[in-house]
Amino acid sequence: MPKAATFTVVVTDYEFADLEPERQVLEAAGLTLVPAQAGSEDELIELCADADALINQYAPVTAKVIRSLARCRVISRYGIGLNTIDVPAATEAGIAVANVPDGSLEEVSDHAAALILTLARGLHRYDAAIRRGTWDYTAAAPLRRLRGRTLGLVGFGRIPRLLAEKMAGFGMTVLAHDPFADPSRAAALGVRLVDLDTLCRASDVLSVHAPLTAETEGLIGSARFAAMKPTACLVNTARGPVVDEAALIEALRTGRIAGAGLDVFAHEPIGPDSPLARCENVVLSPHTAWYSEDSEIEIRTKTARNVVEVAQGRLPTYLVNHGVHPVSPLAGPDPAIR
């Protein structure tokens, strides 16, 4: 009797304590999970040579890595961003790429709102002052009323749309810049679409929600900061390199802008010696806007289900590179492609 086909899933890298949610989903479908902690192209090539699927977090799945994948049918990434995967190279190789775009929509929009409110009310400065032994309402002065201020959204996908709804409840006027946005959807939310220069000039808070691409890298740089109000703040819960970090540091140092709330950075992790960590007008969090116990389980199980769907001869629910039709060795000669 011929040996049953196996489907091997390599987790290229992960920061979780274990892989039990992924293991439960994959093993219930008869797939084999192989944990790894690769950090370079060469490590990935060695560890993933016989993989039928990859689950990826931060390891660089480059074109060189993809060309070495003789069996791979799908690469599924935790969360929304795809900047760790060379999607065109995967498409050329006939490998499906999938992500989980809806696993932490509430968490990220809540986190952006929390950064905005912290900056607006000076909570970080009051906290630091009390810890120094200072009890003084002027420790965070000057503060300005949030109602009537303008929130500018760089990007108008699902997360910034949720943020727009939440901050409208605090009385903010919301503008957005997104060349791909649907004007009718923006209008339904009371949001006016404007060009990026107008957005930077008009915003009291500029909140970044653009994906990291060749076009958006460094999008918010020295010219954008020069256009902003000196009382304005920047918030970034998207990807660090969308903002020119050196230009941001200079803008903060010189008072060109009033402050920043940052969850993402050009290079992660940052340490206590980072200029950003030494700025009193900056609120920092460690790339954790996506996280809650609920969102973590949802993202991890949906990432694994993308793989199971391909193994069973279907397209993944969250397929990114449409037009690719990977054939699984477990699906038989005529898989049903939905």
Side-chain angles (χ1 to χ4, degrees):
M1 174 178 274
K3 185 178 178 180
T6 59
F7 195 100
T8 300
V9 184
V10 175
V11 181
T12 63
D13 61 306
Y14 59 97
E15 60 185 348
F16 315 115
D18 58 51
L19 291 173
E20 283 312 301
E22 295 89 339
R23 191 181 303 279
Q24 289 176 23
V25 171
L26 296 171
E27 292 186 353
L31 313 187
T32 302
L33 182 148
V34 178
Q37 288 291 12
S40 69
E41 286 181 319
D42 290 341
E43 289 176 325
L44 282 169
I45 289 168
E46 180 181 353
L47 291 165
C48 302
D50 296 323
D52 295 288
L54 305 184
I55 288 177
N56 171 252
Q57 188 163 30
Y58 299 126
V61 186
T62 63
K64 180 180 176 181
V65 173
I66 288 167
R67 286 193 296 269
S68 75
L69 301 174
R71 294 170 51 88
C72 188
R73 299 293 180 266
V74 58
I75 303 169
S76 185
R77 187 167 194 274
Y78 294 116
I80 300 175
L82 294 162
N83 50 293
T84 62
I85 302 168
D86 190 323
V87 178
T91 303
E92 185 178 347
I95 299 172
V97 177
N99 63 353
V100 183
D102 58 0
S104 56
L105 302 178
E106 294 292 350
E107 284 78 4
V108 179
S109 57
D110 283 353
H111 201 92
L115 291 172
I116 293 168
L117 292 170
T118 297
L119 291 163
R121 295 304 308 153
L123 299 183
H124 53 309
R125 292 187 170 185
Y126 285 131
D127 179 85
I130 290 173
R131 293 175 191 276
R132 292 193 304 264
T134 300
W135 187 275
D136 182 2
Y137 84 91
T138 67
L143 299 182
R144 295 172 177 83
R145 183 174 293 165
L146 197 60
R147 181 169 293 275
R149 304 287 171 183
T150 298
L151 170 63
L153 303 171
V154 182
F156 200 59
R158 282 180 283 187
I159 289 170
R161 291 200 297 270
L162 279 172
L163 180 61
E165 292 183 55
K166 291 170 183 179
M167 297 316 297
F170 287 89
M172 296 195 80
T173 298
V174 184
L175 305 177
H177 170 73
D178 188 329
F180 306 104
D182 180 347
S184 62
R185 176 171 280 174
L189 290 173
V191 176
R192 184 161 62 94
L193 296 175
V194 297
D195 62 77
L196 187 55
D197 290 336
T198 299
L199 192 77
C200 292
R201 288 194 302 269
S203 297
D204 296 291
V205 178
L206 189 69
S207 189
V208 178
H209 301 277
L212 178 59
T213 65
E215 291 73 28
T216 64
E217 185 171 359
L219 181 67
I220 308 301
S222 56
R224 307 298 184 197
F225 291 121
M228 291 173 66
K229 302 174 184 179
T231 55
C233 293
L234 175 90
V235 168
N236 190 3
T237 54
R239 286 293 182 268
V242 176
V243 175
D244 181 332
E245 201 161 278
L248 171 61
I249 291 166
E250 180 66 11
L252 291 164
R253 187 187 66 80
T254 61
R256 181 55 259 169
I257 64 171
L262 306 173
D263 184 59
V264 290
F265 307 89
H267 302 284
E268 299 176 358
I270 68 166
D273 294 332
S274 165
L276 292 169
R278 296 197 296 269
C279 290
E280 291 187 357
N281 54 345
V282 176
V283 183
L284 306 172
S285 58
H287 201 147
T288 193
W290 64 272
Y291 169 72
S292 71
E293 290 295 297
D294 312 89
S295 65
E296 180 177 320
I297 293 299
E298 182 176 352
I299 289 168
R300 294 170 67 182
T301 54
K302 284 183 173 180
T303 301
R305 285 175 190 155
N306 281 330
V307 171
V308 169
E309 288 170 331
V310 172
Q312 294 175 345
R314 296 173 285 150
L315 292 179
T317 298
Y318 300 105
L319 180 67
V320 172
N321 50 347
H322 297 279
V324 172
H325 296 281
V327 177
S328 165
L330 302 187
D334 187 24
I337 301 295
R338 71 162 185 246

